């Protein structure tokens, strides 16, 4: 096995041609607004990566999916981070469809066959808010919902075909409200995209502001979730968290892997130093893959989510240690002659900004490991 060989072979298996397309673009072009990597991802079948084959998708499991995201991140951090948000929404639909008699399979089939991209309107961008909390307000009508709200930042804002948003809707089986996921078509009257992301890092992920102003969403694009918000997480919510943490971590691991790959092929760096970088990043990858191997039907529970969070924070620490060492070893001339090394060094630390943060999860995670229930804050 050579460095990143398994990842690139997996990418070639599920999304043939994408690695070559990404490698053919200038790196800076992939990391700025208008990123052509997102269109290449669509063209190579990326939207259907997690959709079961019987519904027109590639049917990738968790292990294959994180290898795909690591391979993409090694070529383009922005493309990997942006497409993670699609997979996060898609994985939730796949899990929901397994025990549902509803229309979710029709949505999955349409997304896979037509190459549609989902942007995530969940609450991960709101400081101090649980990412399970509804992000938008909804008013029920006879044939659907009228939705209003703002999501910022929202990755894939300019390339999305559908926006997924969490809302509260009246229960059908009694009084009260329940959580629901609304899929809002990007061409809907009242949906607008405006600039938000001002950082140069990950500018190609299209993380802008999406405003939804009294947008009508038909009932067939509203998916109801059984567990009320703020109570014990159900299987769908746990699955969403597990998939998000695995895929976003793999994406940043890929971005760091791009730095390590440059060091690996630099003969001026002592072999012992190159080996240190490789050992650290492959150990981190192994921890993530260990969790991904456990993602099978019926195994999405709080224990697996806790293991996923532990792996994510361990990878986060490994990236923080190895990145400055890789930059130093690559040397000043490499740093000064190309923006890419400094750019990647800036990008990889953004993993710490994705929810749930280690600071907020410290008490819930330690409580869980001491015998309590796991909550996400």
């Amino acid at each position: 096995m050579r460095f990143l060989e398994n990842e690139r072979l997996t990418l070639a298996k599920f999304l043939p041609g994408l690695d070559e397309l990404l490698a053919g673009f200038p790196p800076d072009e992939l990391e700025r607004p208008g990123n052509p990597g997102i269109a290449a991802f669509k063209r190579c079948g990326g939207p259907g990566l997690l959709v079961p084959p019987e519904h027109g998708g590639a049917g990738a499991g968790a292990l294959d999916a994180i290898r795909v995201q690591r391979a993409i991140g090694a070529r383009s951090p922005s493309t990997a981070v942006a497409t993670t948000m699609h997979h996060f929404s898609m994985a939730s639909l796949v899990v929901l469809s397994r025990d549902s008699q509803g229309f979710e399979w029709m949505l999955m089939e349409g997304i896979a066959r037509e190459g549609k991209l989902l942007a995530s309107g969940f609450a991960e961008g709101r400081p101090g808010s649980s990412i399970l909390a509804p992000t938008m307000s909804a008013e029920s009508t006879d044939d659907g919902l009228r939705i209003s709200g703002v999501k910022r930042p929202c990755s894939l804002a300019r390339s999305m075909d559908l926006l997924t948003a969490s809302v509260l809707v009246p229960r059908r089986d009694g009084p009260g409200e329940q959580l629901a996921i609304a899929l809002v078509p990007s061409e809907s009257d009242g949906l607008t995209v405006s600039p938000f992301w001002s950082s140069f890092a990950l500018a190609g992920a299209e993380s802008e502001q999406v405003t939804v102003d009294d947008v009508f969403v038909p009932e067939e694009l509203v998916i109801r979730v059984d567990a009320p918000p703020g109570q014990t997480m159900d299987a769908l919510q746990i699955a969403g968290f597990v998939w998000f943490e695995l895929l976003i971590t793999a994406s940043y691991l890929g971005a760091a892997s791009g730095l390590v790959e440059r060091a690996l092929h630099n003969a001026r760096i002592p072999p012992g130093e190159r080996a240190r970088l490789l050992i650290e990043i492959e150990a981190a990858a192994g921890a993530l893959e260990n969790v991904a191997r456990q993602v099978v039907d019926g195994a999405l529970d709080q224990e697996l989510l806790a293991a996923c969070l532990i792996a994510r924070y361990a990878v986060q620490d490994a990236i923080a240690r190895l990145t400055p060492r890789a930059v130093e070893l690559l040397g000043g001339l490499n740093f000064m002659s190309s923006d890419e090394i400094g750019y990647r060094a800036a990008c990889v630390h953004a993993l710490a900004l994705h929810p749930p943060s280690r600071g907020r999860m410290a008490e819930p995670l330690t409580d869980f490991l001491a015998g309590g229930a796991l909550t996400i804050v």
Side-chain angles (χ1 to χ4, degrees):
M1 180 195 74
R2 300 183 187 278
F3 187 62
L4 292 177
E5 181 178 25
N6 281 343
E7 288 76 12
R8 285 173 177 151
L9 287 173
T10 304
L11 180 57
K13 173 185 175 182
F14 286 96
L15 307 180
L18 180 56
D19 190 56
E20 292 80 3
L21 285 172
L22 293 177
F25 291 114
D28 63 332
E29 192 173 332
L30 290 167
E31 301 305 313
R32 62 191 182 201
N35 171 15
I38 295 173
F41 174 84
K42 289 186 69 171
R43 188 158 66 250
C44 294
L49 179 68
L50 303 184
V51 177
E54 60 267 28
H55 298 310
L63 179 60
D64 289 326
I66 67 170
R67 287 177 174 174
V68 164
Q69 290 305 103
R70 187 183 178 192
I72 293 174
R75 299 293 189 198
S76 169
S78 284
T79 304
V81 170
T83 56
T84 286
M85 302 309 176
H86 167 86
H87 297 316
F88 166 50
S89 298
M90 197 68 249
S92 298
L93 283 180
V94 172
V95 172
L96 187 61
S97 70
R98 290 173 183 160
D99 299 315
S100 172
Q101 303 301 314
F103 57 88
E104 292 84 5
W105 68 271
M106 297 177 62
L107 289 171
M108 291 191 301
E109 198 163 283
I111 289 165
R113 297 191 186 282
E114 298 174 29
K116 293 185 179 296
L117 283 175
L118 303 179
S120 170
F122 294 102
E124 72 271 8
R126 299 193 311 179
S129 297
S130 167
I131 62 175
L132 293 180
T135 55
M136 302 198 180
S137 63
E139 178 184 342
S140 293
T141 68
D142 291 338
D143 49 359
L145 302 174
R146 301 205 73 88
I147 296 178
S148 296
V150 175
K151 173 65 196 308
R152 59 178 183 264
C154 181
S155 298
L156 289 176
R158 300 196 181 279
S159 295
M160 67 177 176
D161 297 291
L162 294 161
L163 173 71
T164 60
S166 54
V167 294
L168 284 177
V169 297
R171 299 189 68 88
R172 290 172 168 173
D173 55 357
E177 296 178 309
Q178 68 181 131
L179 192 66
I181 300 171
L183 285 81
V184 186
S186 60
E187 69 274 11
S188 299
D189 291 338
L191 187 152
T192 58
V193 177
S194 54
F196 176 77
W197 195 263
S198 58
S199 172
F200 75 100
L202 300 172
E206 301 182 346
S207 299
E208 308 294 2
Q209 174 173 310
V210 175
T211 302
V212 178
D213 184 11
D214 196 33
V215 172
F216 174 72
V217 180
E219 189 64 36
E220 59 266 25
L221 293 181
V222 179
I223 303 170
R224 294 168 183 266
V225 181
D226 289 336
Q231 297 187 17
T232 302
M233 292 181 294
D234 70 355
L236 174 63
Q237 294 167 322
I238 290 175
F241 276 114
V242 169
W243 277 99
F244 176 75
E245 297 303 323
L246 286 173
L247 292 166
I248 199 67
T249 304
S251 296
Y252 285 101
L253 186 66
S257 297
L259 275 178
V260 174
E261 186 173 37
R262 283 154 182 77
L264 173 64
H265 296 294
N266 189 326
R268 296 193 298 178
I269 298 175
E273 294 291 347
R274 283 181 275 166
R276 284 182 63 197
L277 292 175
L278 290 164
I279 290 167
E280 179 125 46
I281 202 162
E282 286 303 283
L288 198 64
E289 290 197 355
N290 176 57
V291 177
R293 285 186 171 91
Q294 300 174 58
V295 180
V296 294
D297 292 347
L300 292 169
D301 52 21
Q302 291 192 356
E303 285 76 13
L304 184 59
L305 177 54
C308 188
L309 290 170
I310 290 169
R312 174 254 169 102
Y313 299 137
V315 172
Q316 190 173 304
D317 284 344
I319 289 174
R321 288 191 300 268
L322 69 87
T323 297
R325 197 157 72 240
V327 172
E328 180 181 355
L329 291 169
L330 284 165
L333 287 178
N334 279 301
F335 187 88
M336 290 182 285
S337 63
S338 170
D339 289 337
E340 188 176 4
I341 294 172
Y343 174 80
R344 283 180 179 268
C347 285
V348 294
H349 296 295
L351 175 57
L353 307 180
H354 287 280
S357 70
R358 177 164 30 199
R360 297 192 68 185
M361 281 304 299
E363 184 175 359
L365 192 55
T366 53
D367 286 348
F368 173 76
L369 294 173
L374 182 64
T375 56
I376 300 292
V377 294

